[in-house]
Amino acid sequence: MIDVLVDSGKLGSSLYCDHCGATAEQVHVWWKDGRNDDGLGFSQVFAECPNCHAELLHKDAYGEIGSAEDALRILQS
């Protein structure tokens, strides 16, 4: 798992946290890679509130993530 703090503007807009009521100017983005039973790679990418660590976004994708930029592209799609 890799965790980076990024400006929420890189995701297209500031994100509102329903859990704590904050508008996050920065968010924690982290991801994990894995393989399914057939050996195909998949990734899960998350954006969470830096104040309370509640999940703001979650996306699944095929393949492995090689950088923070890859993770941001997945969250933007």
Side-chain angles (χ1 to χ4, degrees):
M1 178 181 84
I2 297 174
D3 181 6
V4 294
L5 187 64
V6 299
D7 291 335
S8 60
K10 289 186 177 182
L11 299 176
S13 66
S14 295
L15 298 174
Y16 177 78
C17 179
D18 290 330
H19 187 69
C20 72
T23 299
E25 297 300 321
Q26 292 186 317
V27 294
H28 285 281
V29 173
W30 61 278
W31 61 90
K32 55 185 177 177
D33 296 320
R35 298 220 174 264
N36 64 15
D37 293 338
D38 294 329
L40 300 174
F42 69 90
S43 300
Q44 295 177 307
V45 185
F46 303 88
E48 65 181 35
C49 176
N51 298 320
C52 68
H53 301 287
E55 184 180 298
L56 300 173
L57 290 172
H58 169 205
K59 297 235 178 154
D60 296 327
Y62 292 107
E64 295 181 5
I65 297 173
S67 67
E69 289 78 22
D70 290 345
L72 289 173
R73 267 193 301 278
I74 291 168
L75 286 175
Q76 292 168 345
S77 64

